Amino acid sequence: MTMPLLRLFFTAISLVTADHIIFHDAAMSRDASNECVCHIEYEDGIFPTHVVIFLDEALMNFTTDTEHEEEKITAIHFRIVEFHDKLVNLTVTVKETTENGLKNETDYNRINDTITDLMKTSKDISAILNATDARLEILLNEVNNVSSTTWKLEKYDKHNVLATRREVTTLRKQLADCEEAGGNPNFGLPSAGLIRPAIGSCNNKTLLNVSKPLVVKLNWRGFSYKYGGWGKDFALKAKDKDKFWVAPLNTDERIMETYRTYQTYHDLMLYKHQDEKSLSKKSGLTLIYGNCGQGSGMILYNNSFYYNCYNSRNLCKQNLANNQIKREKVNNAAFNNQVSYKNIKWQDFDFAGDEKGLWVVHAAENSKGKLIIGKVHPKSLKILKTWTTTLDKSQVTNTFMICGVLYALKQVSPHRESIFYKYDTQTGKEEKLDIIMEKVSDTPQSVSYNPNDHKIYMYNDGYLITYDLLFNYQPLKTRRSVPSNEGQGALMLSSVGRTQFAVV
Ligand SMILES: *[C@@H]1O[C@H](CO)[C@@H](O)[C@H](O)[C@H]1NC(C)=O
Ligand SMILES: *[C@@H]1O[C@H](CO)[C@@H](O)[C@H](O)[C@H]1NC(C)=O
Ligand SMILES: *[C@@H]1O[C@H](CO)[C@@H](O)[C@H](O)[C@H]1NC(C)=O
Ligand SMILES: *[C@@H]1O[C@H](CO)[C@@H](O)[C@H](O)[C@H]1NC(C)=O
Ligand SMILES: *[C@@H]1O[C@H](CO)[C@@H](O)[C@H](O)[C@H]1NC(C)=O
Ligand SMILES: *[C@@H]1O[C@H](CO)[C@@H](O)[C@H](O)[C@H]1NC(C)=O
Ligand SMILES: *[C@@H]1O[C@H](CO)[C@@H](O)[C@H](O)[C@H]1NC(C)=O
Ligand SMILES: *[C@@H]1O[C@H](CO)[C@@H](O)[C@H](O)[C@H]1NC(C)=O
Ligand SMILES: CC(=O)N[C@H]1CO[C@H](CO)[C@@H](O)[C@@H]1O
């Protein structure tokens, strides 16, 4: 008798905002070959992405409006001080006049002018106050509207997550029941199809596919800040692994002058409680950029921020705990936009953090622009070992590392990239592949893998985006008494984009 094989079908059918899972009503079924089968689909547009975009814009508007109102209030303050001074002077003059009498017409005119002036000032002030009141009321209404929208969003979100969890639990139970009914000798062990690849392990962690993109947010500086990077702490089991960072470059698309970190996803979503680091220094009237970053290859790794130092072939590292900056030169490395990625400026160096540690990707003056992978010592910033690939760095849009394997991207259309190449630093083997990654906009300025949640973080023309990963599943020999060819290709859903909202 052949044992029933457990299978989970995963069909993604959405465009950009795939974020809700629908489980088919039909009870767990068995197909012709006696397999337990259940279907999962992603449905488009359930999560109100448009509401998030509206909140983004409203928040941006508030910041501008509030600054505007503050300016007006400062102006009023000065006029009131002036009014007060004039009033004091008038009181003195009137007192003198009552004591000594009016001497002549000049005296009288002087007092008359002062009174007229005061009346005019008082009118101006009340007009400004009146206008400010009205404007403040509108602002207040808008704040109320936004907070109720935010509240709705959160409420929606919690329900969605809970519902999804309930569905997953039901599904697990159904699969277990089905497996048991088939007399599976592994009964009692977790269902094979639902095991996620272990965080930190590199056992057969071969990338097989990526999900649709999930647009998390626009960066905090706005639409015009098209270059930059974002993500979490990419060091395996980092102490603060839920901390987010967002680092938009200046609009010159070169200098990283400032970046922000957020302790929680909630804070990131609402742009709240940020810790902002400023890397430029003022000297008199000029700004000094020596400690600033250059290009979009930065990452946060083990609570330090790693980046290419401005105008140099140095690697820089800022310790978030004490703000201290350390730098180290990479001899012979191409720098200052000499060998960047394709259609991306100033990214001569690209950091990555994975299960195996800290990496930096670059090219060298004497490597004819070939992409070099360097293993970096996190403390000393020294490059411990390098691997030279056959790829032209300038022909690749971006790269990321998983378990010491470099994956490289190239553009196939404005909304699609292909992961077309990989290089294994363990074996020195290169391979071609073709995994399509959809984008919301043309250019992926920064693409990084996070070993702590198996997601890819992309900074896509100012939008912050994540992808879930599908790894190849290798059935364990002890798990099935009858090995099947089909098991080899079965997909495993490593994690679902929407679960991020559970952090709220
Ligand atoms: C990756 O998944 C998509 C569906 O999201 C599918 O159309 C595509 O064929 C898959 N690619 C590979 C290489 O399996
Ligand atoms: C933001 O301001 C712009 C310009 O004044 C306006 O068109 C837009 O509706 C505002 N957005 C929100 C969400 O208040
Ligand atoms: C008040 O009187 C003093 C002395 O006469 C003069 O210097 C000052 O400018 C006056 N202030 C105003 C606001 O007119
Ligand atoms: C008016 O009286 C003031 C002193 O109170 C004096 O300084 C001024 O010269 C007089 N003007 C005329 C036109 O007499
Ligand atoms: C007082 O000043 C106002 C404005 O300058 C003028 O219109 C008015 O005629 C003056 N009054 C006298 C009595 O001069
Ligand atoms: C204040 O504004 C209201 C309407 O906005 C207007 O009717 C009133 O005349 C204004 N008062 C002043 C002193 O400008
Ligand atoms: C709140 O904003 C939304 C989106 O612009 C709008 O449709 C709605 O009418 C607003 N509600 C109030 C009470 O202003
Ligand atoms: C992170 O830093 C701590 C000390 O601050 C160290 O013990 C740990 O090994 C580091 N982790 C990685 C992945 O480098
Ligand atoms: C570490 C590990 O589990 N490696 C296995 C990966 O899969 C191949 C077969 O596809 C095995 O031969 C390896 O032992």
Side-chain angles (χ1 to χ4, degrees):
M1 187 186 105
T2 51
M3 285 299 151
L5 177 73
L6 198 62
R7 227 166 21 140
L8 196 62
F9 282 112
F10 162 63
T11 334
I13 49 162
S14 86
L15 291 171
V16 168
T17 54
D19 31 35
H20 187 73
I21 310 177
I22 303 276
F23 296 101
H24 279 233
D25 282 341
M28 195 66 55
S29 61
R30 242 169 240 286
D31 68 7
S33 54
N34 198 26
E35 293 175 354
C36 295
V37 174
C38 77
H39 291 270
I40 300 178
E41 283 181 9
Y42 268 131
E43 197 186 73
D44 193 17
I46 298 286
F47 186 75
T49 313
H50 64 279
V51 177
V52 176
I53 290 167
F54 161 73
L55 285 177
D56 264 343
E57 199 188 317
L59 215 61
M60 217 88 89
N61 280 5
F62 285 160
T63 319
T64 334
D65 287 353
T66 314
E67 272 165 17
H68 209 65
E69 294 305 308
E70 257 167 27
E71 263 168 42
K72 276 200 243 164
I73 286 165
T74 314
I76 295 171
H77 174 77
F78 282 117
R79 304 224 40 187
I80 289 173
V81 169
E82 184 194 289
F83 186 79
H84 174 79
D85 286 348
K86 281 184 179 163
L87 208 59
V88 170
N89 277 8
L90 181 65
T91 314
V92 172
T93 315
V94 168
K95 191 159 167 269
E96 268 169 22
T97 312
T98 38
E99 271 166 18
N100 307 327
L102 274 173
K103 295 275 160 44
N104 54 30
E105 190 143 355
T106 316
D107 255 351
Y108 169 75
N109 283 342
R110 191 160 59 87
I111 295 174
N112 186 28
D113 285 347
T114 311
I115 291 174
T116 313
D117 187 23
L118 276 181
M119 275 165 64
K120 189 177 166 297
T121 309
S122 121
K123 242 192 207 148
D124 283 353
I125 289 175
S126 66
I128 295 173
L129 282 177
N130 200 7
T132 306
D133 266 352
R135 190 62 208 125
L136 283 179
E137 198 171 325
I138 293 170
L139 254 183
L140 211 63
N141 274 341
E142 280 169 10
V143 170
N144 280 338
N145 190 2
V146 167
S147 38
S148 71
T149 314
T150 309
W151 182 80
K152 263 190 258 162
L153 190 66
E154 283 190 8
K155 187 168 154 229
Y156 178 96
D157 204 28
K158 272 177 199 150
H159 285 169
N160 192 20
V161 168
L162 289 179
T164 306
R165 284 218 181 115
R166 262 201 306 278
E167 283 163 343
V168 169
T169 311
T170 315
L171 186 70
R172 266 183 218 275
K173 175 139 188 355
Q174 285 180 5
L175 274 172
D177 289 348
C178 183
E179 209 174 358
E180 186 186 7
N184 188 312
N186 291 320
F187 175 65
L189 294 176
S191 302
L194 290 174
I195 298 174
R196 295 172 176 200
I199 298 287
S201 144
C202 284
N203 278 357
N204 279 314
K205 202 183 257 177
T206 309
L207 183 63
L208 200 69
N209 210 339
V210 296
S211 71
K212 308 280 171 178
L214 172 72
V215 181
V216 173
K217 202 158 175 66
L218 182 65
N219 81 84
W220 55 272
R221 295 179 83 177
F223 295 102
S224 331
Y225 294 82
K226 298 213 179 295
Y227 273 63
W230 87 292
K232 292 170 96 168
D233 193 319
F234 295 151
L236 186 65
K237 305 202 168 92
K239 202 164 120 264
D240 239 351
K241 64 179 164 26
D242 287 326
K243 184 184 272 181
F244 286 90
W245 56 272
V246 183
L249 303 189
N250 287 356
T251 46
D252 64 0
E253 304 180 343
R254 175 179 184 185
I255 300 179
M256 178 184 69
E257 201 178 344
T258 167
Y259 63 92
R260 286 184 176 180
T261 59
Y262 301 85
Q263 281 302 333
T264 66
Y265 187 71
H266 192 240
D267 288 347
L268 169 76
M269 289 308 279
L270 300 177
Y271 290 135
K272 268 194 340 196
H273 306 313
Q274 68 271 6
D275 183 6
E276 185 165 335
K277 306 278 184 198
S278 185
L279 295 166
S280 58
K281 267 194 278 198
K282 263 206 182 112
S283 166
L285 289 176
T286 47
L287 279 172
I288 300 178
Y289 293 119
N291 282 337
C292 288
Q294 178 162 286
S296 307
M298 71 296 273
I299 62 165
L300 177 63
Y301 186 90
N302 212 9
N303 214 34
S304 285
F305 207 67
Y306 291 81
Y307 54 93
N308 171 211
C309 331
Y310 176 68
N311 201 22
S312 76
R313 53 163 61 103
N314 293 347
L315 306 181
C316 264
K317 163 193 179 184
Q318 182 174 41
N319 185 334
L320 293 198
N322 58 20
N323 293 334
Q324 272 172 11
I325 293 177
K326 180 178 168 52
R327 56 176 66 224
E328 182 71 31
K329 190 167 154 189
V330 184
N331 287 328
N332 301 321
F335 71 113
N336 274 356
N337 212 16
Q338 204 182 341
V339 186
S340 186
Y341 286 132
K342 186 169 188 175
N343 295 331
I344 293 175
K345 284 174 258 176
W346 301 104
Q347 202 170 332
D348 298 87
F349 295 89
D350 186 12
F351 280 97
D354 72 1
E355 288 82 354
K356 300 261 174 96
L358 180 65
W359 308 86
V360 70
V361 163
H362 65 94
E365 282 177 333
N366 55 9
S367 78
K368 300 205 176 79
K370 295 295 179 213
L371 187 146
I372 296 173
I373 306 167
K375 188 78 199 298
V376 183
H377 192 280
K379 279 216 176 90
S380 70
L381 279 175
K382 290 208 189 312
I383 295 193
L384 305 170
K385 191 173 175 192
T386 59
W387 293 261
T388 303
T389 69
T390 59
L391 274 188
D392 283 329
K393 183 164 179 287
S394 60
Q395 294 308 307
V396 173
T397 352
N398 225 298
T399 63
F400 58 89
M401 301 283 299
I402 301 178
C403 280
V405 178
L406 171 111
Y407 292 86
L409 274 63
K410 69 174 179 202
Q411 186 171 45
V412 289
S413 77
H415 288 281
R416 288 157 91 90
E417 295 282 321
S418 167
I419 302 172
F420 74 102
Y421 168 94
K422 68 178 184 180
Y423 184 97
D424 191 337
T425 56
Q426 181 118 32
T427 59
K429 235 172 69 186
E430 305 182 83
E431 245 179 82
K432 294 270 172 229
L433 61 163
D434 184 19
I435 298 174
I436 295 297
M437 269 180 110
E438 288 173 15
K439 306 168 282 181
V440 294
S441 187
D442 274 11
T443 315
Q445 282 82 3
S446 148
V447 182
S448 298
Y449 164 75
N450 181 5
N452 293 309
D453 62 10
H454 292 169
K455 284 179 197 292
I456 284 178
Y457 290 76
M458 182 192 280
Y459 190 99
N460 189 189
D461 286 328
Y463 287 96
L464 316 183
I465 289 175
T466 62
Y467 295 85
D468 291 309
L469 304 183
L470 299 165
F471 293 110
N472 199 10
Y473 166 57
Q474 302 288 345
L476 296 171
K477 281 202 181 82
T478 54
R479 192 162 289 286
R480 300 280 166 220
S481 40
V482 180
S484 154
N485 289 336
E486 281 186 79
Q488 204 77 358
L491 292 188
M492 214 170 358
L493 178 59
S494 75
S495 90
V496 181
R498 291 287 303 108
T499 57
Q500 277 198 54
F501 287 88
V503 178
V504 167

